[in-house]
PDB file of all heavy atoms in Angstrom:
ATOM      1  N   ALA A 246       2.620 -14.117  -5.044  1.00  0.00           N
ATOM      2  CA  ALA A 246       1.285 -13.708  -5.469  1.00  0.00           C
ATOM      3  C   ALA A 246       0.324 -13.693  -4.290  1.00  0.00           C
ATOM      4  O   ALA A 246      -0.455 -12.746  -4.104  1.00  0.00           O
ATOM      5  CB  ALA A 246       0.779 -14.643  -6.565  1.00  0.00           C
ATOM      6  N   VAL A 247       0.359 -14.729  -3.460  1.00  0.00           N
ATOM      7  CA  VAL A 247      -0.507 -14.773  -2.279  1.00  0.00           C
ATOM      8  C   VAL A 247      -0.182 -13.613  -1.343  1.00  0.00           C
ATOM      9  O   VAL A 247      -1.081 -12.917  -0.833  1.00  0.00           O
ATOM     10  CB  VAL A 247      -0.352 -16.124  -1.551  1.00  0.00           C
ATOM     11  CG1 VAL A 247      -1.088 -16.109  -0.205  1.00  0.00           C
ATOM     12  CG2 VAL A 247      -0.861 -17.266  -2.422  1.00  0.00           C
ATOM     13  N   MET A 248       1.098 -13.370  -1.128  1.00  0.00           N
ATOM     14  CA  MET A 248       1.509 -12.286  -0.238  1.00  0.00           C
ATOM     15  C   MET A 248       1.064 -10.933  -0.779  1.00  0.00           C
ATOM     16  O   MET A 248       0.487 -10.110  -0.050  1.00  0.00           O
ATOM     17  CB  MET A 248       3.026 -12.298  -0.078  1.00  0.00           C
ATOM     18  CG  MET A 248       3.568 -11.240   0.857  1.00  0.00           C
ATOM     19  SD  MET A 248       5.357 -11.052   0.740  1.00  0.00           S
ATOM     20  CE  MET A 248       5.510 -10.205  -0.831  1.00  0.00           C
ATOM     21  N   ASP A 249       1.324 -10.663  -2.070  1.00  0.00           N
ATOM     22  CA  ASP A 249       0.969  -9.373  -2.655  1.00  0.00           C
ATOM     23  C   ASP A 249      -0.536  -9.129  -2.611  1.00  0.00           C
ATOM     24  O   ASP A 249      -0.987  -8.029  -2.281  1.00  0.00           O
ATOM     25  CB  ASP A 249       1.456  -9.314  -4.109  1.00  0.00           C
ATOM     26  CG  ASP A 249       2.923  -8.946  -4.215  1.00  0.00           C
ATOM     27  OD1 ASP A 249       3.506  -8.524  -3.200  1.00  0.00           O
ATOM     28  OD2 ASP A 249       3.487  -9.073  -5.312  1.00  0.00           O
ATOM     29  N   ILE A 250      -1.307 -10.137  -2.979  1.00  0.00           N
ATOM     30  CA  ILE A 250      -2.757  -9.962  -3.040  1.00  0.00           C
ATOM     31  C   ILE A 250      -3.321  -9.665  -1.652  1.00  0.00           C
ATOM     32  O   ILE A 250      -4.104  -8.729  -1.465  1.00  0.00           O
ATOM     33  CB  ILE A 250      -3.412 -11.215  -3.657  1.00  0.00           C
ATOM     34  CG1 ILE A 250      -3.059 -11.309  -5.147  1.00  0.00           C
ATOM     35  CG2 ILE A 250      -4.929 -11.211  -3.456  1.00  0.00           C
ATOM     36  CD1 ILE A 250      -3.323 -12.663  -5.753  1.00  0.00           C
ATOM     37  N   ALA A 251      -2.916 -10.441  -0.664  1.00  0.00           N
ATOM     38  CA  ALA A 251      -3.426 -10.236   0.694  1.00  0.00           C
ATOM     39  C   ALA A 251      -2.925  -8.917   1.280  1.00  0.00           C
ATOM     40  O   ALA A 251      -3.695  -8.153   1.887  1.00  0.00           O
ATOM     41  CB  ALA A 251      -3.020 -11.411   1.580  1.00  0.00           C
ATOM     42  N   ALA A 252      -1.629  -8.610   1.108  1.00  0.00           N
ATOM     43  CA  ALA A 252      -1.061  -7.395   1.694  1.00  0.00           C
ATOM     44  C   ALA A 252      -1.612  -6.144   1.026  1.00  0.00           C
ATOM     45  O   ALA A 252      -1.935  -5.154   1.705  1.00  0.00           O
ATOM     46  CB  ALA A 252       0.464  -7.425   1.594  1.00  0.00           C
ATOM     47  N   ASN A 253      -1.730  -6.137  -0.304  1.00  0.00           N
ATOM     48  CA  ASN A 253      -2.282  -4.969  -0.995  1.00  0.00           C
ATOM     49  C   ASN A 253      -3.731  -4.735  -0.604  1.00  0.00           C
ATOM     50  O   ASN A 253      -4.170  -3.590  -0.441  1.00  0.00           O
ATOM     51  CB  ASN A 253      -2.168  -5.146  -2.510  1.00  0.00           C
ATOM     52  CG  ASN A 253      -0.777  -4.844  -3.023  1.00  0.00           C
ATOM     53  OD1 ASN A 253      -0.050  -4.058  -2.430  1.00  0.00           O
ATOM     54  ND2 ASN A 253      -0.391  -5.466  -4.122  1.00  0.00           N
ATOM     55  N   SER A 254      -4.497  -5.814  -0.466  1.00  0.00           N
ATOM     56  CA  SER A 254      -5.893  -5.662  -0.051  1.00  0.00           C
ATOM     57  C   SER A 254      -5.975  -5.049   1.344  1.00  0.00           C
ATOM     58  O   SER A 254      -6.806  -4.166   1.606  1.00  0.00           O
ATOM     59  CB  SER A 254      -6.593  -7.022  -0.078  1.00  0.00           C
ATOM     60  OG  SER A 254      -6.583  -7.577  -1.385  1.00  0.00           O
ATOM     61  N   TYR A 255      -5.120  -5.502   2.244  1.00  0.00           N
ATOM     62  CA  TYR A 255      -5.089  -4.950   3.598  1.00  0.00           C
ATOM     63  C   TYR A 255      -4.734  -3.466   3.578  1.00  0.00           C
ATOM     64  O   TYR A 255      -5.409  -2.638   4.230  1.00  0.00           O
ATOM     65  CB  TYR A 255      -4.084  -5.724   4.444  1.00  0.00           C
ATOM     66  CG  TYR A 255      -3.749  -5.046   5.747  1.00  0.00           C
ATOM     67  CD1 TYR A 255      -4.642  -5.083   6.816  1.00  0.00           C
ATOM     68  CD2 TYR A 255      -2.551  -4.355   5.901  1.00  0.00           C
ATOM     69  CE1 TYR A 255      -4.343  -4.440   8.011  1.00  0.00           C
ATOM     70  CE2 TYR A 255      -2.249  -3.710   7.087  1.00  0.00           C
ATOM     71  CZ  TYR A 255      -3.143  -3.757   8.137  1.00  0.00           C
ATOM     72  OH  TYR A 255      -2.847  -3.109   9.305  1.00  0.00           O
ATOM     73  N   LEU A 256      -3.692  -3.104   2.817  1.00  0.00           N
ATOM     74  CA  LEU A 256      -3.242  -1.722   2.816  1.00  0.00           C
ATOM     75  C   LEU A 256      -4.274  -0.788   2.192  1.00  0.00           C
ATOM     76  O   LEU A 256      -4.524   0.310   2.701  1.00  0.00           O
ATOM     77  CB  LEU A 256      -1.903  -1.610   2.070  1.00  0.00           C
ATOM     78  CG  LEU A 256      -0.696  -2.217   2.795  1.00  0.00           C
ATOM     79  CD1 LEU A 256       0.516  -2.250   1.889  1.00  0.00           C
ATOM     80  CD2 LEU A 256      -0.383  -1.436   4.074  1.00  0.00           C
ATOM     81  N   ILE A 257      -4.880  -1.195   1.082  1.00  0.00           N
ATOM     82  CA  ILE A 257      -5.892  -0.349   0.454  1.00  0.00           C
ATOM     83  C   ILE A 257      -7.067  -0.126   1.400  1.00  0.00           C
ATOM     84  O   ILE A 257      -7.648   0.954   1.452  1.00  0.00           O
ATOM     85  CB  ILE A 257      -6.355  -0.968  -0.880  1.00  0.00           C
ATOM     86  CG1 ILE A 257      -5.214  -0.947  -1.900  1.00  0.00           C
ATOM     87  CG2 ILE A 257      -7.559  -0.211  -1.443  1.00  0.00           C
ATOM     88  CD1 ILE A 257      -5.516  -1.716  -3.163  1.00  0.00           C
ATOM     89  N   ALA A 258      -7.410  -1.152   2.174  1.00  0.00           N
ATOM     90  CA  ALA A 258      -8.530  -1.030   3.108  1.00  0.00           C
ATOM     91  C   ALA A 258      -8.212  -0.143   4.297  1.00  0.00           C
ATOM     92  O   ALA A 258      -9.072   0.589   4.790  1.00  0.00           O
ATOM     93  CB  ALA A 258      -8.950  -2.422   3.592  1.00  0.00           C
ATOM     94  N   VAL A 259      -6.973  -0.171   4.779  1.00  0.00           N
ATOM     95  CA  VAL A 259      -6.656   0.488   6.044  1.00  0.00           C
ATOM     96  C   VAL A 259      -6.143   1.918   5.869  1.00  0.00           C
ATOM     97  O   VAL A 259      -6.229   2.729   6.800  1.00  0.00           O
ATOM     98  CB  VAL A 259      -5.622  -0.363   6.830  1.00  0.00           C
ATOM     99  CG1 VAL A 259      -4.212  -0.188   6.290  1.00  0.00           C
ATOM    100  CG2 VAL A 259      -5.674  -0.041   8.321  1.00  0.00           C
ATOM    101  N   ILE A 260      -5.624   2.277   4.695  1.00  0.00           N
ATOM    102  CA  ILE A 260      -5.061   3.618   4.491  1.00  0.00           C
ATOM    103  C   ILE A 260      -6.192   4.624   4.258  1.00  0.00           C
ATOM    104  O   ILE A 260      -7.059   4.399   3.410  1.00  0.00           O
ATOM    105  CB  ILE A 260      -4.099   3.627   3.275  1.00  0.00           C
ATOM    106  CG1 ILE A 260      -2.928   2.675   3.496  1.00  0.00           C
ATOM    107  CG2 ILE A 260      -3.580   5.047   3.034  1.00  0.00           C
ATOM    108  CD1 ILE A 260      -2.103   2.432   2.252  1.00  0.00           C
ATOM    109  N   PRO A 261      -6.199   5.756   4.956  1.00  0.00           N
ATOM    110  CA  PRO A 261      -7.208   6.794   4.706  1.00  0.00           C
ATOM    111  C   PRO A 261      -7.106   7.309   3.267  1.00  0.00           C
ATOM    112  O   PRO A 261      -5.995   7.453   2.733  1.00  0.00           O
ATOM    113  CB  PRO A 261      -6.843   7.895   5.712  1.00  0.00           C
ATOM    114  CG  PRO A 261      -6.044   7.209   6.763  1.00  0.00           C
ATOM    115  CD  PRO A 261      -5.307   6.107   6.072  1.00  0.00           C
ATOM    116  N   PRO A 262      -8.238   7.609   2.612  1.00  0.00           N
ATOM    117  CA  PRO A 262      -8.204   8.046   1.213  1.00  0.00           C
ATOM    118  C   PRO A 262      -7.330   9.269   0.974  1.00  0.00           C
ATOM    119  O   PRO A 262      -6.674   9.368  -0.060  1.00  0.00           O
ATOM    120  CB  PRO A 262      -9.676   8.333   0.894  1.00  0.00           C
ATOM    121  CG  PRO A 262     -10.442   7.502   1.860  1.00  0.00           C
ATOM    122  CD  PRO A 262      -9.619   7.451   3.105  1.00  0.00           C
ATOM    123  N   THR A 263      -7.309  10.216   1.911  1.00  0.00           N
ATOM    124  CA  THR A 263      -6.532  11.441   1.706  1.00  0.00           C
ATOM    125  C   THR A 263      -5.031  11.215   1.775  1.00  0.00           C
ATOM    126  O   THR A 263      -4.251  12.097   1.408  1.00  0.00           O
ATOM    127  CB  THR A 263      -6.923  12.498   2.749  1.00  0.00           C
ATOM    128  OG1 THR A 263      -6.782  11.939   4.061  1.00  0.00           O
ATOM    129  CG2 THR A 263      -8.355  12.959   2.546  1.00  0.00           C
ATOM    130  N   LEU A 264      -4.628  10.040   2.250  1.00  0.00           N
ATOM    131  CA  LEU A 264      -3.199   9.722   2.348  1.00  0.00           C
ATOM    132  C   LEU A 264      -2.800   8.569   1.441  1.00  0.00           C
ATOM    133  O   LEU A 264      -1.649   8.143   1.454  1.00  0.00           O
ATOM    134  CB  LEU A 264      -2.843   9.344   3.795  1.00  0.00           C
ATOM    135  CG  LEU A 264      -2.821  10.455   4.831  1.00  0.00           C
ATOM    136  CD1 LEU A 264      -2.637   9.857   6.221  1.00  0.00           C
ATOM    137  CD2 LEU A 264      -1.708  11.448   4.527  1.00  0.00           C
ATOM    138  N   ARG A 265      -3.729   8.071   0.641  1.00  0.00           N
ATOM    139  CA  ARG A 265      -3.508   6.795  -0.035  1.00  0.00           C
ATOM    140  C   ARG A 265      -2.257   6.808  -0.917  1.00  0.00           C
ATOM    141  O   ARG A 265      -1.415   5.909  -0.842  1.00  0.00           O
ATOM    142  CB  ARG A 265      -4.738   6.425  -0.866  1.00  0.00           C
ATOM    143  CG  ARG A 265      -4.640   5.045  -1.504  1.00  0.00           C
ATOM    144  CD  ARG A 265      -5.946   4.648  -2.158  1.00  0.00           C
ATOM    145  NE  ARG A 265      -6.931   4.220  -1.179  1.00  0.00           N
ATOM    146  CZ  ARG A 265      -8.196   4.635  -1.170  1.00  0.00           C
ATOM    147  NH1 ARG A 265      -8.610   5.508  -2.060  1.00  0.00           N
ATOM    148  NH2 ARG A 265      -9.031   4.174  -0.259  1.00  0.00           N
ATOM    149  N   SER A 266      -2.099   7.811  -1.775  1.00  0.00           N
ATOM    150  CA  SER A 266      -0.951   7.810  -2.683  1.00  0.00           C
ATOM    151  C   SER A 266       0.358   8.053  -1.950  1.00  0.00           C
ATOM    152  O   SER A 266       1.397   7.508  -2.311  1.00  0.00           O
ATOM    153  CB  SER A 266      -1.144   8.861  -3.785  1.00  0.00           C
ATOM    154  OG  SER A 266      -2.078   8.415  -4.741  1.00  0.00           O
ATOM    155  N   ARG A 267       0.317   8.903  -0.898  1.00  0.00           N
ATOM    156  CA  ARG A 267       1.559   9.154  -0.166  1.00  0.00           C
ATOM    157  C   ARG A 267       2.019   7.909   0.583  1.00  0.00           C
ATOM    158  O   ARG A 267       3.210   7.588   0.611  1.00  0.00           O
ATOM    159  CB  ARG A 267       1.368  10.327   0.797  1.00  0.00           C
ATOM    160  CG  ARG A 267       1.541  11.677   0.113  1.00  0.00           C
ATOM    161  CD  ARG A 267       1.063  12.812   0.973  1.00  0.00           C
ATOM    162  NE  ARG A 267      -0.396  12.822   1.055  1.00  0.00           N
ATOM    163  CZ  ARG A 267      -1.092  13.674   1.806  1.00  0.00           C
ATOM    164  NH1 ARG A 267      -0.461  14.543   2.561  1.00  0.00           N
ATOM    165  NH2 ARG A 267      -2.406  13.643   1.808  1.00  0.00           N
ATOM    166  N   VAL A 268       1.074   7.190   1.166  1.00  0.00           N
ATOM    167  CA  VAL A 268       1.462   5.949   1.839  1.00  0.00           C
ATOM    168  C   VAL A 268       1.921   4.916   0.819  1.00  0.00           C
ATOM    169  O   VAL A 268       2.924   4.214   1.036  1.00  0.00           O
ATOM    170  CB  VAL A 268       0.296   5.406   2.685  1.00  0.00           C
ATOM    171  CG1 VAL A 268       0.662   4.049   3.280  1.00  0.00           C
ATOM    172  CG2 VAL A 268      -0.048   6.379   3.811  1.00  0.00           C
ATOM    173  N   MET A 269       1.220   4.822  -0.316  1.00  0.00           N
ATOM    174  CA  MET A 269       1.647   3.860  -1.329  1.00  0.00           C
ATOM    175  C   MET A 269       2.996   4.257  -1.936  1.00  0.00           C
ATOM    176  O   MET A 269       3.742   3.403  -2.411  1.00  0.00           O
ATOM    177  CB  MET A 269       0.588   3.719  -2.414  1.00  0.00           C
ATOM    178  CG  MET A 269      -0.724   3.092  -1.926  1.00  0.00           C
ATOM    179  SD  MET A 269      -0.543   1.582  -0.933  1.00  0.00           S
ATOM    180  CE  MET A 269       0.202   0.454  -2.119  1.00  0.00           C
ATOM    181  N   GLY A 270       3.323   5.544  -1.905  1.00  0.00           N
ATOM    182  CA  GLY A 270       4.671   5.956  -2.301  1.00  0.00           C
ATOM    183  C   GLY A 270       5.719   5.406  -1.351  1.00  0.00           C
ATOM    184  O   GLY A 270       6.796   4.961  -1.773  1.00  0.00           O
ATOM    185  N   VAL A 271       5.406   5.409  -0.051  1.00  0.00           N
ATOM    186  CA  VAL A 271       6.303   4.795   0.930  1.00  0.00           C
ATOM    187  C   VAL A 271       6.391   3.286   0.683  1.00  0.00           C
ATOM    188  O   VAL A 271       7.475   2.685   0.770  1.00  0.00           O
ATOM    189  CB  VAL A 271       5.811   5.084   2.362  1.00  0.00           C
ATOM    190  CG1 VAL A 271       6.692   4.378   3.385  1.00  0.00           C
ATOM    191  CG2 VAL A 271       5.796   6.583   2.628  1.00  0.00           C
ATOM    192  N   VAL A 272       5.249   2.666   0.363  1.00  0.00           N
ATOM    193  CA  VAL A 272       5.241   1.224   0.068  1.00  0.00           C
ATOM    194  C   VAL A 272       6.135   0.932  -1.130  1.00  0.00           C
ATOM    195  O   VAL A 272       6.925  -0.024  -1.123  1.00  0.00           O
ATOM    196  CB  VAL A 272       3.805   0.744  -0.192  1.00  0.00           C
ATOM    197  CG1 VAL A 272       3.803  -0.709  -0.668  1.00  0.00           C
ATOM    198  CG2 VAL A 272       2.956   0.880   1.061  1.00  0.00           C
ATOM    199  N   GLN A 273       6.025   1.743  -2.183  1.00  0.00           N
ATOM    200  CA  GLN A 273       6.871   1.526  -3.365  1.00  0.00           C
ATOM    201  C   GLN A 273       8.341   1.688  -3.034  1.00  0.00           C
ATOM    202  O   GLN A 273       9.183   0.942  -3.540  1.00  0.00           O
ATOM    203  CB  GLN A 273       6.479   2.509  -4.474  1.00  0.00           C
ATOM    204  CG  GLN A 273       5.228   2.130  -5.213  1.00  0.00           C
ATOM    205  CD  GLN A 273       5.133   2.854  -6.530  1.00  0.00           C
ATOM    206  OE1 GLN A 273       6.039   2.814  -7.364  1.00  0.00           O
ATOM    207  NE2 GLN A 273       4.035   3.543  -6.742  1.00  0.00           N
ATOM    208  N   THR A 274       8.656   2.674  -2.198  1.00  0.00           N
ATOM    209  CA  THR A 274      10.055   2.860  -1.807  1.00  0.00           C
ATOM    210  C   THR A 274      10.551   1.648  -1.027  1.00  0.00           C
ATOM    211  O   THR A 274      11.679   1.181  -1.235  1.00  0.00           O
ATOM    212  CB  THR A 274      10.207   4.137  -0.965  1.00  0.00           C
ATOM    213  OG1 THR A 274       9.717   5.256  -1.715  1.00  0.00           O
ATOM    214  CG2 THR A 274      11.665   4.380  -0.599  1.00  0.00           C
ATOM    215  N   ALA A 275       9.700   1.127  -0.130  1.00  0.00           N
ATOM    216  CA  ALA A 275      10.084  -0.049   0.649  1.00  0.00           C
ATOM    217  C   ALA A 275      10.267  -1.269  -0.238  1.00  0.00           C
ATOM    218  O   ALA A 275      11.170  -2.084  -0.016  1.00  0.00           O
ATOM    219  CB  ALA A 275       9.022  -0.334   1.714  1.00  0.00           C
ATOM    220  N   ASN A 276       9.425  -1.400  -1.273  1.00  0.00           N
ATOM    221  CA  ASN A 276       9.450  -2.600  -2.106  1.00  0.00           C
ATOM    222  C   ASN A 276      10.451  -2.488  -3.251  1.00  0.00           C
ATOM    223  O   ASN A 276      11.310  -3.355  -3.436  1.00  0.00           O
ATOM    224  CB  ASN A 276       8.044  -2.855  -2.655  1.00  0.00           C
ATOM    225  CG  ASN A 276       7.925  -4.190  -3.359  1.00  0.00           C
ATOM    226  OD1 ASN A 276       8.855  -5.000  -3.364  1.00  0.00           O
ATOM    227  ND2 ASN A 276       6.793  -4.438  -3.967  1.00  0.00           N
ATOM    228  N   PHE A 277      10.352  -1.408  -4.021  1.00  0.00           N
ATOM    229  CA  PHE A 277      11.177  -1.266  -5.226  1.00  0.00           C
ATOM    230  C   PHE A 277      12.434  -0.442  -5.001  1.00  0.00           C
ATOM    231  O   PHE A 277      13.453  -0.664  -5.649  1.00  0.00           O
ATOM    232  CB  PHE A 277      10.351  -0.624  -6.350  1.00  0.00           C
ATOM    233  CG  PHE A 277       9.162  -1.435  -6.768  1.00  0.00           C
ATOM    234  CD1 PHE A 277       7.900  -1.118  -6.324  1.00  0.00           C
ATOM    235  CD2 PHE A 277       9.309  -2.523  -7.613  1.00  0.00           C
ATOM    236  CE1 PHE A 277       6.789  -1.861  -6.707  1.00  0.00           C
ATOM    237  CE2 PHE A 277       8.215  -3.276  -8.002  1.00  0.00           C
ATOM    238  CZ  PHE A 277       6.954  -2.946  -7.542  1.00  0.00           C
ATOM    239  N   GLY A 278      12.356   0.523  -4.087  1.00  0.00           N
ATOM    240  CA  GLY A 278      13.488   1.429  -3.911  1.00  0.00           C
ATOM    241  C   GLY A 278      14.722   0.774  -3.338  1.00  0.00           C
ATOM    242  O   GLY A 278      15.844   1.240  -3.565  1.00  0.00           O
TER     243      GLY A 278
END
């Protein structure tokens, strides 16, 4: 929980809005895929 909360907050802050879903798609592949 600590890892997810801190890491997700970092990623949402640092990813440009126009790429947000595509980068989060890569994140999902890394995590769940």
